[in-house]
């Protein structure tokens, strides 16, 4: 295996984890609509019991995603997680609040009240997907950082990467295209959450309301998603000269990436088709409640396609708006060949881990959530 192959391989693995994380955000999406899907406390607790089975998988995927980025592309980790720390800290804080809310909302001695913790879950369901979408959008629209590897020899201040302003990542929220992409991810999470609840909760009242809410979230999602995709295809991209490693603007870079890496274009179209199939069939078919699976698989394919497009084919996956040549590529930000090689051997256990997760998922979802579960309620 060559060094270049290892770089491409690990970008694929990180992208796959990112795609799985976006899919797993259905937990946040379902929590964000819990009050609109329910009319009483029992129905609300059924939804929380349903998402409570899966929230640890979402949190674990987030941590694994960050860990994989740290191990394989440490310069990105130190630049984004260390420079744009306000965005990541807010995301992590809302996830911690989510964990606390699941654990303590129905404990004896709860001074804040059950509904307070339920609203914490709603906040996590709104803020988490929105900010994660904004963070991913900076892969296409850039961020304000500066890289100077010469600083490693500065004994007084050996910091390679630094943020170009005092906002430390919050400036990404001032970019309209980032917000549009973030809103697309936000509504996507809500759609997946609704589909999951329809599949996992055995309650006709919740399902009937969910069908209406599904339409109300699908329409704005399609608007924000289509606008984002069109913008990505027609915008100037950040290309890398394979010989000099110079980074420069290239018109329609991401569009040409899809043309030259046509399997990614097929993956994108197939993902969109699967997502629409799962969503639309659920809306127009009363008995159908398995839309989460085609829609979820479609989500993974679309996000994986986008992340591979932004990293492969001599493209800067984390552009710098402050200094173009500081932009990060998979070649200038990755770990050593030895480190990537050793980790590649370890990565061979991933299929077994995924098989275990699928097995546990099937066991947990073997029986739908009903009112009877509230008697021995877990959350």
């Amino acid at each position: 295996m060559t060094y270049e192959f290892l770089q491409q391989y690990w970008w694929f693995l990180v992208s796959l984890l990112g795609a799985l994380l976006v899919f797993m955000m259905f937990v946040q999406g379902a929590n964000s609509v819990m009050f609109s899907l329910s009319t009483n406390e029992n129905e609300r607790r059924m939804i929380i019991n349903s998402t409570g089975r899966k929230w640890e998988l979402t949190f674990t995927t987030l941590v694994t995603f960050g860990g994989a980025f740290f191990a394989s592309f440490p310069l990105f980790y130190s630049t984004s997680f260390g420079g744009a720390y306000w965005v990541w800290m807010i995301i992590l804080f809302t996830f911690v609040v989510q964990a606390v809310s699941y654990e303590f909302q129905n404990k004896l001695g709860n001074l804040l009240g059950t509904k307070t913790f339920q609203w914490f879950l709603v906040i996590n369901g709104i803020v988490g997907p929105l900010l994660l979408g904004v963070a991913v959008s900076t892969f296409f629209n850039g961020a304000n950082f500066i890289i100077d590897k010469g600083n490693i020899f500065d004994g007084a201040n050996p910091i390679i990467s630094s943020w170009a302003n005092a906002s430390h990542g919050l400036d990404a929220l001032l970019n309209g295209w980032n917000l549009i992409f973030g809103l697309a991810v936000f509504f996507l999470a809500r759609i997946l959450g609704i589909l999951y609840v329809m599949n996992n909760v055995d309650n006709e009242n919740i399902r009937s309301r969910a069908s209406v809410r599904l339409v109300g979230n699908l329409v704005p999602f399609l608007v924000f998603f289509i606008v984002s995709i069109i913008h990505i295809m027609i915008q100037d991209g950040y290309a890398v000269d394979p010989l000099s490693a110079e980074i420069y603007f290239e018109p329609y870079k991401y569009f040409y990436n899809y043309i030259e890496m046509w399997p990614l274009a097929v993956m994108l179209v197939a993902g969109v088709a699967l997502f629409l199939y799962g969503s639309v069939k659920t809306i127009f078919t009363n008995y159908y409640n398995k839309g989460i699976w085609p829609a979820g698989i479609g989500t993974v394919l679309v996000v994986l396609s986008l992340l591979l497009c932004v990293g492969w084919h001599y493209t800067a996956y984390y552009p710098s708006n402050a200094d173009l040549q500081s932009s990060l590529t998979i070649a200038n930000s990755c770990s050593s060949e030895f480190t990537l090689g050793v980790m590649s051997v370890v990565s061979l256990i991933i299929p077994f881990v995924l098989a275990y997760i699928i097995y546990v998922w099937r066991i947990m979802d073997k029986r739908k959530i009903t009112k009877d579960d509230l008697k021995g309620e877990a959350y």
Side-chain angles (χ1 to χ4, degrees):
M1 292 185 291
T2 65
Y3 193 21
E4 182 178 0
F5 171 81
L6 290 173
Q7 293 167 351
Q8 304 282 341
Y9 172 71
W10 271 98
W11 182 255
F12 170 80
L13 290 183
V14 169
S15 299
L16 180 59
L17 285 171
L20 291 173
L21 174 60
V22 173
F23 163 64
M24 291 301 300
M25 297 292 279
F26 71 78
V27 173
Q28 280 63 39
N31 287 338
S32 72
V33 295
M34 73 166 76
F35 283 99
S36 63
L37 295 183
S38 60
T39 57
N40 56 64
E41 186 62 24
N42 283 340
E43 291 179 349
R44 211 151 29 243
R45 287 159 65 185
M46 291 172 66
I47 295 172
I48 293 173
N49 266 8
S50 177
T51 59
R53 292 178 172 183
K54 303 298 189 307
W55 76 267
E56 290 155 313
L57 293 178
T58 307
F59 191 83
T60 301
T61 306
L62 175 64
V63 173
T64 305
F65 172 70
F69 240 134
F70 171 74
S72 54
F73 300 97
L75 190 52
F76 168 81
Y77 189 90
S78 65
T79 301
S80 181
F81 289 77
Y85 56 77
W86 278 121
V87 172
W88 293 111
M89 286 298 292
I90 294 173
I91 293 174
L92 290 174
F93 178 75
T94 62
F95 271 84
V96 171
V97 169
Q98 175 200 53
V100 172
S101 299
Y102 276 120
E103 184 66 25
F104 292 103
Q105 61 180 282
N106 289 311
K107 293 289 186 181
L108 294 176
N110 173 11
L111 299 178
L112 297 178
T114 300
K115 186 160 290 189
T116 299
F117 284 110
Q118 291 175 352
W119 276 109
F120 285 162
L121 292 177
V122 173
I123 292 172
N124 169 253
I126 296 173
V127 175
L130 177 63
L131 290 187
L132 184 66
V134 169
V136 172
S137 183
T138 60
F139 286 4
F140 294 96
N141 299 315
N144 293 300
F145 62 89
I146 298 174
I147 302 292
D148 187 354
K149 295 185 178 180
N151 285 345
I152 195 68
F153 301 106
D154 187 349
N157 189 32
I159 300 176
I160 295 177
S161 57
S162 59
W163 213 250
N165 55 51
S167 70
H168 292 289
L170 293 179
D171 49 321
L173 296 171
L174 300 178
N175 185 311
W177 294 115
N178 289 344
L179 286 176
I180 289 174
F181 194 91
L183 287 169
V185 174
F186 166 69
F187 283 108
L188 171 64
R190 289 167 72 98
I191 292 169
L192 294 175
I194 292 170
L195 292 173
Y196 173 75
V197 169
M198 294 180 72
N199 174 257
N200 192 246
V201 177
D202 187 9
N203 184 280
E204 192 58 39
N205 292 329
I206 292 178
R207 288 183 182 178
S208 61
R209 294 188 203 98
S211 297
V212 178
R213 300 298 180 271
L214 186 58
V215 176
N217 284 277
L218 182 61
V219 172
F221 163 73
L222 289 176
V223 172
F224 289 121
F225 176 73
I226 292 172
V227 170
S228 295
I229 291 297
I230 292 176
H231 175 253
I232 288 171
M233 295 300 177
I234 66 175
Q235 74 178 96
D236 291 346
Y238 299 81
V240 183
D241 188 303
L243 298 178
S244 65
E246 179 186 2
I247 299 168
Y248 59 95
F249 288 108
E250 179 180 326
Y252 308 107
K253 170 62 177 172
Y254 306 114
F255 174 77
Y256 288 132
N257 277 3
Y258 273 115
I259 296 298
E260 296 177 26
M261 296 185 292
W262 61 266
L264 296 186
V266 173
M267 187 187 301
L268 177 66
V269 174
V272 172
L274 281 171
F275 176 82
L276 290 176
Y277 172 80
S279 302
V280 174
K281 185 174 181 179
T282 302
I283 292 172
F284 289 102
T285 308
N286 292 331
Y287 63 86
Y288 186 72
N289 66 350
K290 297 181 179 179
I292 180 62
W293 302 119
I297 294 172
T299 296
V300 172
L301 291 178
V302 169
V303 177
L304 178 60
S305 169
L306 289 172
L307 292 178
L308 292 179
C309 175
V310 81
W312 282 357
H313 200 258
Y314 304 110
T315 310
Y317 71 85
Y318 196 45
S320 172
N321 294 327
D323 174 27
L324 186 61
Q325 300 312 312
S326 291
S327 302
L328 300 185
T329 68
I330 61 175
N332 69 15
S333 63
C334 66
S335 296
S336 67
E337 183 175 3
F338 173 78
T339 301
L340 294 181
V342 171
M343 292 195 307
S344 297
V345 176
V346 177
S347 72
L348 296 178
I349 68 172
I350 291 178
F352 299 98
V353 176
L354 289 177
Y356 174 74
I357 292 174
I358 293 172
Y359 171 75
V360 173
W361 187 302
R362 286 176 62 88
I363 293 297
M364 287 191 295
D365 284 2
K366 196 171 183 179
R367 190 173 61 85
K368 306 298 183 183
I369 295 290
T370 65
K371 289 184 178 180
D372 293 336
D373 293 297
L374 300 181
K375 298 174 184 178
E377 182 178 23
Y379 299 103

